[in-house]
Each structure stands twice: as C-alpha cells, then as structure tokens.
Amino acid sequence: MTKVLLTGNEAIARGAYENGVAVATAYPGTPSTEILENIANHKEIHAQWSPNEKVALEVAIGASISGARALCAMKHVGVNVAADPLFTFTYTGVNGGLVLVSADDPGMHSSQNEQDNRNYARFAKMGLLEPTNSQEAKDMVGYALNISEQFDMPVMLRTTTRVSHSKTLVELAEPKARTLKPYTKDARKYVAVPANAKGRTVFVVEERLQKMAEFSETTELNRIEWADKKIGIVTSGIVYEYVKEALPNASILKLGYTNPLPLKKIASFAAEVEQLWIVEELDPFMEDQIRAVGIPIYGGKAELGRIGEYTPSLLRKAILGIDSTAKAPAATPIRPPVLCPGCPHRGAYYALKKNKKLVTGDIGCYTLGAMPPLQSLDTTICMGASIPVALGMEKARPDQAENLVAVIGDSTFLHSGITGLINTVYNKGTSTIMILDNRITAMTGHQHHAATGKTLQGEDTSQVDFEALCRAVGVKRVRVVDPGDLAALDQAIKEETAVREPSVIIARRPCALIVKHTEPRLQVNHDACVGCRMCMGIGCPAISFTDKKSTIDPSLCVGCGLCQQVCKFGAIVPEEVQ
Amino acid sequence: MKGTKSILLVGVGGQGTILASKILTNVAIKQGYDVKMTEIHGMAQRGGSVVTQVRMGEKVHSPLIEPGQADYIVAFEQLEALRWIHFLNDAGTVIVNTQRINPMTVIIGSAEYPSDALEQVKAAAPKTISLDALEIAKKLGNIRVVNVVLLGAMAKQMDIAKEDWLSALEATVPARFLELNRQAFQAGYDA
Ligand SMILES: Cc1ncc(C[n+]2csc(CCOP(=O)(O)OP(=O)(O)O)c2C)c(N)n1
C-alpha cells in the first residue's frame, strides 16, 4: 500500500481505525489533541470530547468492559486527572482492549511541567509502549490493543512531542473488522470492592506482572541491532533516532515495550559490550531499574542530564566527546506568544489591572495575561485551580477578600472549575469568579466543549447554561458582561468584589479567531494623538509606537475597539472617517 | 541530491510556514526521498516565533536540525532569520523576506528591533537572497501568498525540477486558489 507522511498523532488515529477501535475519547491538550480530531473523521468510530480526562477515561473503560476496543488520549498532565480510574482499572482488567495515549512534553514546549509518565505505567502496573516514529505509533496501537486483551489490562502508549508532532512516512493497511466481544456480568472482576480487589492483586495483578516480564524478554518490540561492540546503547522512543544519527556504529538495544523492562535481555546485551549507555529523556526510568539489578552502567543520566530534550549533538558530545563547534546565536529580542488582536481576554485583564486586583488564574489562552504589558495574573497552577486557590487565600487572609478575583476559561470551568465553585459556596467564601467565556477551547486549537452546542463529530447537541449552572450550585449574584465594554466590566468588578458573598461575572464574547469581524478597522489620527501611550498598555500586537505617535497596523486590526475606549483624546477612529 | 538535505522554515505564527512545508515535503516524497518534518505547535500559534524543520534524503533518522546543519533557511521575517542564522552550515543558503514584524517585547519598548538584522544575516551567510515577499504578494492582490512567493525563491536554489514543484503546489492548494499560487510561485522564482 501507499506510503503517506503523517504526524505521530495522525498515525495513532489511523492505527485506531485500522485496529478495530470503536470508541475513542479525550480532552484536548498539546501535544495530543490531533489524535481525536483525526479519529473523528472516521464515522464508524464514536469519537468524543469529554469535559476532562477522568471522564474521558471512564467512558473508554465502559466501552472496554462492554466488549469494544477503546482508545483514550491526553497530554501528560491529563493522566494526573485520570489517575483515579486508571489505577483501579489495572486491577479489574479489560474486556475489549484499551489503550491510553499519554503525550509527554520533554522541553515543555507547551506545558506547565515536564513529568515523565512512564512512571505511571510502572506505578499502575500496566503495559507500556514507546513509539519512535509515526510508523511505530500506528503499529503500536495494534500491539497495545492485542497486549491489552492478552494480559487483561489497559496499556499505555507513551509519545513525546517530537513523535506526536513530527511527520514521517507511514505505510497504511486495510482496517480490520470492528467486532464487539460478548459482555457477561462478572461482578468479581468489575466491581472493585475490597473483597474482590484483594483476590485480584494476588492472583491476577502479580501473576500478570510475571507474564508481562516474560513477554518483554521475547517480544519483537525489544530488539538488538548489533554493530561495533565498544559502545552499547539501551534506548527507546524518539531518542533511538538521535542515537542512529549520532552513533551510527554503536550496538543498540531498542526497546519498544518498556514495562516491565526485559532485564535479562539487557543483562546479556550489557555482557557483550564494553561500555553500556542508557539513553532516555527525562527520568532515569530504565536506568534506575537496570542499576537495581546490578548491571554495570558506563553512562547515563549523570553524563546526559535529566531535563529537557536530547539532541544528536548532545549525545555525540557526551558519549563520543565530539563537540561540534557551532556558531553562537546572535542577540535577538524574544518573540513570545501574545493575545491576538481582538482577543476578548484583553479587556478582562485590562479592567482587572486597572482595579489592582489580586488575580488567581487558570490555564488557557488567558494565561498569556501574565505577560507584559498586562501582567495581571498572580497564580497559575493547574486546570481548575483558580477558584480554590482564591478561596484558600481568602481564608488565610480575610482582609484580602475584597481584593480577590479568580479567572477561569469556559472549557476549564467545565473541566474542573465547577467543583471549586461548589466548594467556595459551601464553605462560605466571598470570592468573585470571572468566567472568561470565549465560547470555545481556544488554546489547544478551538475544540468544542459541552457549552458550544456541537460535538466533536459535528452534530448539534445541548449547551451548558453557565448562568443557570452557577445559580444551581448556590451563587446568587451571577451577571453577564461583554469584555469588549470596558466601562461595564469595570463596574461589574467593583460591585461584585465589594459584596460579601460569592459572585460570578461571565465575561462573554467569542474568541476573535472564530468570528467574522464586521466592525470597521481602526486607525490613529496622528493630529489628535498626543503620544500618551495609553493604548500601548493593552498589549495589542496591531498597535506600535514610533516617533511619539501610535500607529495601528491595518493588516492586523479587527476593529474590536478596545484601544478606542482607553484613548482619552479621541485619536483612534474608524478607517473611513479620516 | 547527495546525503541528507536540511531545510529550516522560520517565521511568525500565522505567516503560513505550515503550508510551505507541506508543499516542500510533497515535492520531496515525489522524488522518492525519505522525509521527516517536525514543528512545535501550541503556544507558538499566538504570534510567537515558529519553526518547521524538514529533512530529506535516502534515509533520514533524526527529524531535528541542529546549529550549523541547515542547508537552507527560509525566513519569513528578518528578525527570525537572524534568530536562526547560526543553524546554517558553511555552504548554506538563506532566503529571507525583508518584512519586519515587531515582537511584543519591542512594541512595549522593553527590547529593540535590531535595525541591521538583514546586514547581520548577510554577513553571516554569503549566500543570502533577500526579497520583499509581502510587496510581491500585495501586487498579486493577496498578502496570504507570501509563503508561496518564498517557496518559489527557494525552489530556484534547489536542484529539483520546476515542474515537480508546480505539481506539488497543485496537489496541496485548493483549485480556486491555484492560479494565484502559481503566479506567486513564479514571482518568487524570478525574484
Ligand atoms: C489537565 C490538563 N488538560 C489539558 C491541558 C491543556 N490545556 C491547556 S489550556 C486548555 C484549554 C483552555 O480552554 P479555555 O479554558 O476555554 O480557555 P481559552 O484557551 O479558550 O482562553 C487546555 C485543554 C492542561 N494544561 N491540563
């Protein structure tokens, strides 16, 4: 069949299609998002966005128990959210195969931390596969599902950003039949109460680990490529390609299946090479286990480091001592990502800054409000943290109560904000919560969610009513404001922070990238502009300041009018007027 | 083509580097090469620096291009050319769009746009071809074809037949924009 160039994510989607997956679930998160977006194109698969990763995994678990093959995808931190069902599902085991895709992000290209989720596979006692390129990513979906059914457990397919977002050639295959296994009630397996679980830990989970270890020793996924035996490298994932690039003469033990590790195979490989190197990004996941069984290691984490991504030249330098003398980079100002022209978050942050509020933040495009010149965020921890963190601050420092505002995006509010809000109401907090409702999950590339009215596969569906939802959990003061109207926003912030009860301001305006802009573009009347720089304070990329005057780039302006509202001299006018 | 060729496409989020790299990889596949391409999405979409790395050859292992390794750098913006210039190898070629886009750090006055960015690039890379792709695109009536103008300029420098580029263009862009893109490609090729 033909070879096509696919990203790792596209390849995983294709793998799901070819290998009989019937239900696929996810909550978006870079670098995993495109997996479900691509699966959604196959109408024979039910593909869905769930409000968060825990729910997504639970839906996949249900599909598996009922006999279907299922796939659930998330970014690395998503597994933290889904850890609860995961750790018990490894006890109960599967019916139809279940693959959990964890997309890790060494180098933190778009994440708040660098956690190495291979540790989860070991912690939860589940199988673990690490693809090197898109072909393997596709093939390993099939392996993972087979292994899952063979050993009666979920299997983790762990990618990294460079696998998820690199395109490499893939050979396509015909899809297998999508068959449903029979479902028979089996409470001792699927009802995880202590009595049942105790039985399973001893007789199933531990016994299974033994069998998985034997499998790991014999599977073709773990293979030796003999070459010169002076240097022997044990590696997995994308790093294998860096090893091939940097050390074409080294012998390699390439591991595709890494939990449990094939320790016997590693020992016999080690015995034949002079220098054994363990080459893996992030944690010493393999290295620690190999050291623990007494296999002498010549080099690893101490020489290569445990932070960020590896590169071929890093390996060349550390292992061969060859320093490719590259030129030094030129001094250049950085170009950080910014809120887009017309972004509704800009108005919200401007108003908060003007009111000098202490702002607990959350995760989304609106986290960019932490950057200059708005710099309006005090905290960002994880999705959903804004509301509870504000309450914690209020309880610790009651004098700050009137000064606190929690900001949270619409998708994030549905992900894990609502429980925080319930907690604030229940525990008699008085915080002001601002839902930055731009009608979409913007940061990860505009995915629908439960309040947009569309499913992942494009069907019309119901919409969460934020106003009614907030009232239902006990918030009495709920109001909707347009963040494009600075005066209204300012008034809402002043009034709601002043009252001694919890209140919700829904700042509602769709993301500037999902609407057609009909307002006239704006320009600066240089005769009226006094060069006060007020408009520069909103941090709009369309506005620049030269020769003591502001100028608006017409190719970037969408006419949102925010700059016009902050200009005290009427110098900003619609294009036709001047 | 001998060995592996490494091409870096750099620019600012929203400038259309992704389409350019798609056409480039399509051409490479047609030539029968192994191809790898890597890019970082996410935060970079929001007007930040973007970089796409393309490698092609008989057998490509690492998708990464490292400092001193790029055979070509196609820069969609001056400052981005300067930011990545140390990635060029000694014999490498730079195609640079003379367009300037101020980063937020410059807009708010916390940094200065290097006024001699283009000169610095030319000093570091004798084989630098600079063109005002934005102006060319404007003349063609659509500023969105800046990317294809630059691709045309790059195609001129590579030993792959022009027809192959044009058929890859045909396979990648929607039919109703094909004529415009053909003109853009040709304008870049002739620039
Ligand atoms: C647990 C977890 N899952 C997923 C992500 C990835 N992620 C970061 S921001 C975001 C979406 C935010 O959407 P929304 O709250 O609507 O804000 P917007 O970007 O639209 O402003 C997602 C999915 C994450 N950081 N953590």
Side-chain angles (χ1 to χ4, degrees):
Chain A
M1 275 200 101
T2 45
K3 281 199 169 186
V4 291
L5 199 60
L6 299 181
T7 62
N9 285 344
E10 290 165 343
I12 289 170
R14 177 74 196 189
Y17 170 68
E18 287 179 8
N19 290 286
V21 165
V23 175
T25 63
Y27 179 70
T30 315
S32 71
T33 312
E34 304 83 8
I35 298 171
L36 260 280
E37 289 178 330
N38 281 283
I39 292 180
N41 296 330
H42 299 289
K43 298 299 173 207
E44 47 281 84
I45 303 177
H46 167 79
Q48 69 166 56
W49 293 131
S50 299
N52 66 33
E53 292 84 353
K54 177 179 186 291
V55 174
L57 181 57
E58 287 157 347
V59 173
I61 288 173
S64 161
I65 292 175
S66 76
R69 285 190 153 190
L71 178 145
C72 180
M74 54 194 67
K75 82 185 261 132
H76 62 340
V77 288
V79 182
N80 303 337
V81 178
D84 198 11
L86 179 64
F87 275 65
T88 298
F89 194 51
T90 53
Y91 273 38
T92 67
V94 305
N95 184 14
L98 186 143
V99 52
L100 169 69
V101 184
S102 166
D104 291 10
D105 189 18
M108 294 183 276
H109 294 286
S110 42
S111 305
Q112 66 268 42
N113 80 14
E114 205 177 33
Q115 67 186 55
D116 185 336
N117 277 8
R118 295 177 301 170
N119 295 305
Y120 264 121
R122 189 155 183 244
F123 194 2
K125 306 177 204 268
M126 70 198 287
L128 172 62
L129 292 161
E130 294 186 66
T132 285
N133 51 40
S134 300
Q135 181 72 53
E136 286 190 8
K138 186 190 75 127
D139 295 345
M140 282 187 181
V141 174
Y143 276 106
L145 291 163
N146 290 340
I147 294 167
S148 169
E149 286 167 4
Q150 183 186 345
F151 293 97
D152 191 9
M153 64 175 173
V155 171
M156 177 184 282
L157 180 67
R158 185 253 191 180
T159 62
T160 54
T161 298
R162 291 292 173 191
V163 175
S164 314
H165 283 173
S166 293
K167 287 194 175 187
T168 71
L169 290 168
V170 178
E171 201 156 328
L172 305 182
E174 289 299 335
K176 296 190 186 85
R178 235 164 287 281
T179 49
L180 208 55
K181 286 183 157 189
Y183 169 75
T184 35
K185 181 166 172 160
D186 185 352
R188 286 188 49 194
K189 178 166 157 66
Y190 295 119
V191 178
V193 292
N196 294 340
K198 276 177 195 156
R200 284 194 74 84
T201 22
V202 183
F203 299 112
V204 180
V205 181
E206 291 308 312
E207 213 178 278
R208 191 176 70 196
L209 274 172
Q210 296 290 324
K211 288 192 194 135
M212 283 156 66
E214 282 159 35
F215 171 82
S216 185
E217 298 291 351
T218 53
T219 173
E220 64 204 354
L221 294 165
N222 295 335
R223 62 162 200 265
I224 296 175
E225 295 175 10
W226 287 118
D228 187 78
K229 292 189 175 175
K230 184 166 186 303
I231 297 174
I233 310 254
V234 178
T235 189
S236 67
I238 185 72
V239 184
Y240 165 80
E241 303 285 18
Y242 303 158
V243 171
K244 293 293 277 186
E245 190 86 29
L247 303 135
N249 300 321
S251 291
I252 302 172
L253 172 50
K254 181 195 183 299
L255 300 181
Y257 184 85
T258 47
N259 189 51
L261 287 174
L263 289 166
K264 288 186 201 133
K265 196 173 224 165
I266 294 168
S268 65
F269 178 75
E272 296 215 26
V273 298
E274 269 177 55
Q275 301 180 1
L276 182 74
W277 285 78
I278 314 301
V279 184
E280 57 187 326
E281 285 172 337
L282 303 185
D283 288 351
F285 175 78
M286 300 195 285
E287 184 173 329
D288 284 354
Q289 295 182 64
I290 294 167
R291 275 191 203 285
V293 293
I295 299 170
I297 291 175
Y298 186 88
K301 281 292 146 196
E303 292 75 19
L304 297 160
R306 59 188 295 165
I307 301 167
E309 292 187 293
Y310 285 177
T311 59
S313 61
L314 180 143
L315 303 186
R316 236 176 258 122
K317 189 171 172 196
I319 300 174
L320 302 174
I322 300 171
D323 197 354
S324 33
T325 45
K327 293 160 224 145
T332 46
I334 57 162
R335 190 188 296 277
V338 290
L339 294 174
C340 305
C343 176
H345 300 330
R346 180 171 287 110
Y349 283 122
Y350 187 80
L352 287 166
K353 186 175 185 178
K354 199 173 151 222
N355 282 285
K356 299 199 173 63
K357 293 296 169 194
L358 197 167
V359 182
T360 59
D362 227 296
I363 305 201
C365 281
Y366 52 98
T367 313
L368 294 171
M371 306 293 193
L374 292 165
Q375 288 168 297
S376 317
L377 278 182
D378 287 75
T379 68
T380 292
I381 306 294
C382 65
M383 291 193 76
S386 56
I387 303 173
V389 167
L391 184 71
M393 285 187 160
E394 178 186 341
K395 295 297 180 192
R397 296 175 169 273
D399 61 312
Q400 283 294 314
E402 287 185 11
N403 197 28
L404 278 163
V405 178
V407 296
I408 184 163
D410 46 344
S411 186
T412 305
F413 184 68
L414 294 167
H415 178 280
S416 46
I418 186 70
T419 42
L421 183 61
I422 291 170
N423 178 63
T424 293
V425 175
Y426 173 56
N427 287 299
K428 298 175 170 296
T430 69
S431 340
T432 300
I433 290 112
M434 202 168 190
I435 301 177
L436 302 175
D437 183 11
N438 63 356
R439 313 305 300 151
I440 204 82
T441 315
M443 177 92 270
T444 41
H446 301 101
Q447 290 76 32
H448 283 286
H449 58 59
T452 67
K454 282 264 186 237
T455 68
L456 167 59
Q457 291 183 303
E459 285 174 295
D460 291 328
T461 185
S462 64
Q463 280 176 272
V464 169
D465 177 340
F466 286 127
E467 293 92 307
L469 179 62
C470 295
R471 288 204 179 90
V473 304
V475 182
K476 296 197 182 68
R477 299 182 64 98
V478 181
R479 63 203 271 181
V480 180
V481 219
D482 175 3
D485 182 346
L486 283 179
L489 208 51
D490 187 65
Q491 189 188 350
I493 292 169
K494 286 197 166 72
E495 286 173 9
E496 297 310 329
T497 50
V499 295
R500 286 305 185 138
E501 63 176 293
S503 48
V504 172
I505 302 171
I506 300 170
R508 180 170 294 149
R509 178 179 267 244
C511 167
L513 299 180
I514 60 168
V515 286
K516 271 223 170 319
H517 297 278
T518 49
E519 301 94 339
R521 288 181 299 210
L522 300 170
Q523 60 185 10
V524 180
N525 174 355
H526 280 175
D527 296 331
C529 176
V530 299
C532 70
R533 301 185 65 107
M534 273 303 277
C535 58
M536 300 303 296
I538 64 172
C540 176
I543 310 177
S544 57
F545 194 79
T546 35
D547 300 329
K548 303 209 168 89
K549 303 275 177 193
S550 293
T551 303
I552 295 174
D553 181 340
S555 71
L556 292 175
C557 178
V558 297
C560 76
L562 204 69
C563 54
Q564 213 175 7
Q565 293 174 51
V566 301
C567 179
K568 294 200 169 79
F569 301 91
I572 298 175
V573 290
E575 251 184 354
E576 305 85 50
V577 176
Q578 218 183 15
Chain B
M1 194 177 85
K2 274 224 186 75
T4 301
K5 284 274 176 275
S6 298
I7 301 137
L8 211 55
L9 296 112
V10 301
V12 179
Q15 276 194 303
T17 47
I18 292 180
L19 180 79
S21 65
K22 205 165 179 182
I23 297 167
L24 175 61
T25 52
N26 276 348
V27 171
I29 294 169
K30 276 274 161 57
Q31 308 292 309
Y33 295 132
D34 187 14
V35 183
K36 289 196 175 169
M37 177 194 117
T38 187
E39 65 199 353
I40 298 299
H41 326 198
M43 290 292 240
Q45 284 177 342
R46 308 279 173 264
S49 296
V50 290
V51 55
T52 303
Q53 319 186 19
V54 178
R55 302 191 74 211
M56 54 176 89
E58 291 310 317
K59 174 79 194 146
V60 179
H61 283 293
S62 168
L64 294 182
I65 301 171
E66 298 193 74
Q69 281 186 355
D71 297 289
Y72 300 91
I73 294 180
V74 184
F76 286 50
E77 198 270 352
Q78 280 189 39
L79 175 60
E80 295 311 308
L82 183 60
R83 190 187 312 286
W84 294 94
I85 193 69
H86 62 292
F87 274 69
L88 197 73
N89 66 28
D90 291 336
T93 305
V94 177
I95 290 104
V96 54
N97 179 12
T98 54
Q99 188 181 354
R100 284 175 55 156
I101 301 173
N102 284 333
M104 189 50 72
T105 44
V106 170
I107 291 178
I108 62 168
S110 72
E112 231 172 89
Y113 195 105
S115 56
D116 61 344
L118 195 59
E119 285 68 41
Q120 285 193 57
V121 169
K122 285 181 174 162
K127 276 199 243 165
T128 294
I129 292 141
S130 63
L131 65 159
D132 190 342
L134 182 63
E135 197 48 44
I136 295 172
K138 271 186 193 156
K139 283 202 184 117
L140 292 170
N142 191 334
I143 55 170
R144 302 195 60 133
V145 294
V146 162
N147 52 2
V148 179
V149 172
L150 289 166
L151 202 70
M154 163 171 180
K156 180 83 174 282
Q157 304 302 319
M158 287 186 77
D159 51 1
I160 293 175
K162 193 172 156 194
E163 295 71 55
D164 292 341
W165 287 96
L166 288 170
S167 61
L169 192 66
E170 216 163 293
T172 318
V173 305
R176 64 203 157 101
F177 294 124
L178 188 58
E179 192 42 45
L180 173 68
N181 278 284
R182 271 211 199 100
Q183 288 170 11
F185 182 87
Q186 188 62 45
Y189 201 86
D190 296 338

